[in-house]
Amino acid sequence: MDMKVAKKLGLKERYTMMTRDLAWDTTFQPMDKVFPQVGYEGIKIHDWDKWEDPFRLTMDAYWKYQAEKERKLYAILDAFNQNNGHLSVTDARYINVLKLFLGSTPPLELMAARGFSMVARQMVGAGPRVACMMQSVDEYRHFQTQIHSISNYNRFYNGLDEFAHQQSRMWYLSDGKSFFDDAITAGPFEFMVAIGFAFEYVLTNILFVPFISGAAYNGDMAAMTVGFSAQSDEARHMTLGLECIKFMLEQDPDNLPIVQRWIDKWTWRGTRKLASVGMMMDYMLPKRIMSFKEAWEIYFEQNGTALFTDLARYGIKVPKCFEQTIEEKEHITHQSWIGFYMKPDATPFHTWMPQPEELDWLSEKYPNTFDKYYRPVYEYWIEQEKAGNRFNNKTQPMNCQVCVSTIKFNEPGDPMEMCFRETEYKGEKFHFCSDHCKEIFEDEPEKYVQTFISSHAALQGKCEPEGTDVNAHDYRPGARMHAYWRMDKRASGDFNGSEDQKNFAKWRAQATRN
């Protein structure tokens, strides 16, 4: 007797049935009313079915895949915590890397999760909708696991417990928050270019590969495991961002100038955010695995050149900022560390002067610039420290209206001159750190006049702890900034002689005796 055997669906057919076949066109309301944002930016989409899904993950496969990663991840985290893994790091200075990372990265992962949820709601096509929902869940996972990996350190060290409060208030965290505020208040397609392309391609490769490798090199197996667990998702994220760009360019030739403008804008904004990541690599890791300059050449110049060569067939040109970033790789980490060192009372982590062997390492990695421009500054400050005159700048910084970085970067072609740009809009002056930020402002001034800049807000009396009487006769703006930030003063100042340094040495000595 003939038996009918049900045909087993292939991966592509099964994916289609589980995702795209579940979509439908609305009837009670027109599609453009249900999805109002797809036409907001001027992007023209003619056929949503042309969206390609290189991973073709269904939700059941996604949960199984991620659950296995979670099981392995938390087994390592539990073992690390139970065995006092915090004492296995090379030096207590390394803990300050985690303080900076915790304040800057997990909150951005949370904003990315919210953003991709928003984009998934606004995409008409089922393909990008499913992909964005999976990335949203990925970002929630990264947010949670990064906090969990660092939470063990909070039991022992100062300055880790108020990162969520500080993220929207602390001056040095404003550039990352501004980046995501800018992206999440754009339309869905610009968000995909900002986060799916610029953030994932420009930033996360350098953050999660050489920097997290540095965590492993310094004995932090918890952060290393979380970083590589996240990086396995980033491959999918980068593909999603690139696919969105190609999809827009293939749909209509009118999309090209819009996409090009976004790529120019967000590539620059991503490079500005990388200054603090590079600073962590060059200055804050006690044992360094590679310089920021080397990482930049591998993960941006080489990979970026290949990427833009691929996109050239669609008419995309290399971002206007590309040449300037190549010049700035010699300078931005040093300028950033100098900026942070000058503000010892204004960060919930410690800073310090490089040791002699670290200065030699920087000279080797930056032979064209370090000895000429930066070593003399450090040698002078080291002498001043020994004389009891540790540098402490207590003034409010000037910030860029667009990227919100403190204005500290050099004029293109002249490392001895600080870059400063100014424009006027509706009778008010605005300041910028570069020509690129000024151009971004002039393209969308109504958006950037609303930028929150903490130094301005502090002088206006808007950065005060609850209950402060700003009308009191003895009121001084900014006098209670530590209370406003909820900053533990034990975590600020110079690392040498700090409570964290002393406790780490004591606990490690006890562990060695036991």
Side-chain angles (χ1 to χ4, degrees):
M1 145 178 111
D2 292 336
M3 296 183 63
K4 292 183 178 181
V5 179
K7 178 186 176 182
K8 185 176 181 180
L9 295 176
L11 178 63
K12 186 174 182 179
E13 292 81 8
R14 184 168 180 271
Y15 171 80
T16 300
M17 186 182 72
M18 296 287 286
T19 56
R20 299 194 179 199
D21 287 353
L22 298 177
W24 67 89
D25 289 346
T26 58
T27 54
F28 292 111
Q29 294 288 343
M31 290 288 282
D32 58 353
K33 193 171 182 180
V34 176
F35 299 98
Q37 291 191 22
V38 290
Y40 164 70
E41 301 154 299
I43 295 293
K44 299 175 182 177
I45 305 297
H46 303 293
D47 186 359
W48 284 97
D49 289 336
K50 293 294 185 181
W51 178 279
E52 292 295 332
D53 308 298
F55 286 89
R56 296 195 177 95
L57 272 176
T58 56
M59 288 309 297
D60 60 337
Y62 173 82
W63 293 124
K64 291 175 184 176
Y65 174 63
Q66 297 296 74
E68 179 63 17
K69 289 203 295 186
E70 293 282 280
R71 185 182 65 81
K72 295 176 179 177
L73 168 64
Y74 280 97
I76 295 174
L77 290 184
D78 289 344
F80 182 83
N81 294 344
Q82 290 170 15
N83 289 283
N84 280 327
H86 71 101
L87 295 177
S88 66
V89 300
T90 47
D91 188 293
R93 287 185 301 169
Y94 172 80
I95 311 300
N96 295 284
V97 178
L98 301 179
K99 296 175 185 179
L100 179 54
F101 180 89
L102 180 65
S104 58
T105 304
L108 301 187
E109 303 275 19
L110 180 59
M111 293 182 75
R114 293 170 53 211
F116 278 102
S117 296
M118 175 200 72
V119 173
R121 167 59 184 85
Q122 293 299 332
M123 289 291 188
V124 175
R129 197 182 307 156
V130 170
C132 287
M133 279 307 304
M134 288 184 184
Q135 178 153 350
S136 177
V137 178
D138 279 347
E139 306 294 6
Y140 278 120
R141 189 179 83 88
H142 298 173
F143 166 69
Q144 293 170 342
T145 55
Q146 287 165 14
I147 294 172
H148 291 165
S149 71
I150 298 174
S151 62
N152 179 62
Y153 291 92
N154 186 44
R155 297 165 56 195
F156 304 98
Y157 303 100
N158 306 312
L160 288 156
D161 55 336
E162 291 290 354
F163 71 95
H165 173 85
Q166 292 165 354
Q167 204 269 336
S168 60
R169 296 168 175 82
M170 210 74 184
W171 61 278
Y172 70 89
L173 299 174
S174 296
D175 58 348
K177 185 176 185 299
S178 169
F179 185 101
F180 272 83
D181 284 345
D182 191 352
I184 209 168
T185 53
F189 290 108
E190 185 177 353
F191 180 88
M192 290 298 294
V193 175
I195 308 305
F197 170 73
F199 191 75
E200 302 292 356
Y201 262 98
V202 177
L203 180 60
T204 56
N205 272 333
I206 293 180
L207 180 63
F208 284 121
V209 181
F211 173 66
I212 292 298
S213 297
Y217 198 48
N218 281 272
D220 186 1
M221 302 311 292
M224 180 275 292
T225 307
V226 166
F228 287 136
S229 178
Q231 184 62 17
S232 63
D233 295 330
E234 301 301 337
R236 188 169 66 251
H237 299 176
M238 288 186 284
T239 306
L240 173 59
L242 185 58
E243 176 53 39
C244 184
I245 288 176
K246 290 181 177 179
F247 174 69
M248 289 187 287
L249 296 172
E250 290 169 350
Q251 285 292 301
D252 196 288
D254 290 347
N255 294 340
L256 175 60
I258 301 173
V259 174
Q260 180 70 63
R261 187 174 74 249
W262 289 341
I263 288 177
D264 289 344
K265 168 186 174 180
W266 288 104
T267 301
W268 176 250
R269 293 223 57 188
T271 61
R272 271 293 180 255
K273 181 68 190 81
L274 275 175
S276 58
V277 177
M279 180 188 76
M280 288 191 280
M281 293 174 60
D282 281 350
Y283 285 90
M284 300 183 76
L285 294 176
K287 290 178 67 177
R288 296 154 175 80
I289 192 167
M290 67 167 61
S291 68
F292 172 75
K293 177 184 174 182
E294 292 169 321
W296 188 255
E297 291 169 348
I298 295 170
Y299 293 103
F300 184 74
E301 290 179 25
Q302 295 178 20
N303 293 359
T305 299
L307 172 65
F308 292 119
T309 300
D310 181 40
L311 292 175
R313 59 195 170 102
Y314 297 98
I316 291 294
K317 299 177 182 178
V318 173
K320 291 183 288 186
C321 66
F322 197 86
E323 290 301 319
Q324 185 170 339
T325 66
I326 293 175
E327 178 188 334
E328 286 194 348
K329 71 186 177 187
E330 294 274 1
H331 300 280
I332 59 170
T333 64
H334 317 306
Q335 292 165 353
S336 294
W337 186 246
I338 286 172
F340 277 98
Y341 177 81
M342 289 165 57
K343 294 282 187 182
D345 297 333
T347 61
F349 59 86
H350 302 292
T351 53
W352 55 87
M353 277 290 97
Q355 297 174 3
E357 62 273 16
E358 293 170 337
L359 291 173
D360 293 340
W361 183 87
L362 290 164
S363 297
E364 177 188 342
K365 296 299 182 181
Y366 295 90
N368 301 323
T369 54
F370 185 76
D371 283 350
K372 184 175 181 180
Y373 299 110
Y374 302 106
R375 184 188 277 265
V377 176
Y378 291 137
E379 289 176 343
Y380 173 75
W381 278 347
I382 289 170
E383 290 303 315
Q384 290 298 302
E385 265 196 23
K386 291 177 180 177
N389 300 320
R390 207 266 195 212
F391 196 98
N392 189 349
N393 185 343
K394 297 187 178 184
T395 62
Q396 292 282 359
M398 181 177 285
N399 299 77
C400 176
Q401 189 71 25
V402 171
C403 71
V404 203
S405 299
T406 54
I407 295 179
K408 58 180 177 291
F409 304 105
N410 62 274
E411 187 74 34
D414 185 0
M416 298 301 290
E417 182 72 24
M418 186 178 70
C419 186
F420 174 78
R421 300 291 183 267
E422 183 179 273
T423 194
E424 188 170 309
Y425 181 72
K426 291 186 176 180
E428 188 175 357
K429 290 184 178 180
F430 297 93
H431 309 133
F432 310 96
C433 69
S434 64
D435 290 312
H436 303 292
C437 284
K438 182 174 181 285
E439 183 178 325
I440 291 169
F441 176 89
E442 291 172 343
D443 189 52
E444 301 175 89
E446 289 294 335
K447 185 172 192 177
Y448 296 103
V449 294
Q450 303 173 64
T451 301
F452 175 82
I453 298 178
S454 60
S455 56
H456 295 183
L459 295 174
Q460 293 166 352
K462 298 177 181 177
C463 296
E464 301 293 342
E466 190 174 345
T468 300
D469 182 4
V470 297
N471 297 313
H473 72 280
D474 58 346
Y475 169 73
R476 288 191 302 116
R480 301 181 65 196
M481 288 296 290
H482 286 105
Y484 172 73
W485 290 329
R486 297 183 190 169
M487 197 174 87
D488 187 342
K489 293 185 179 180
R490 296 173 299 174
S492 62
D494 200 86
F495 172 76
N496 296 310
S498 67
E499 190 173 294
D500 283 351
Q501 182 190 40
K502 294 174 183 176
N503 285 338
F504 182 82
K506 179 179 68 176
W507 294 331
R508 176 175 273 183
Q510 291 173 348
T512 302
R513 287 196 299 270
N514 294 336

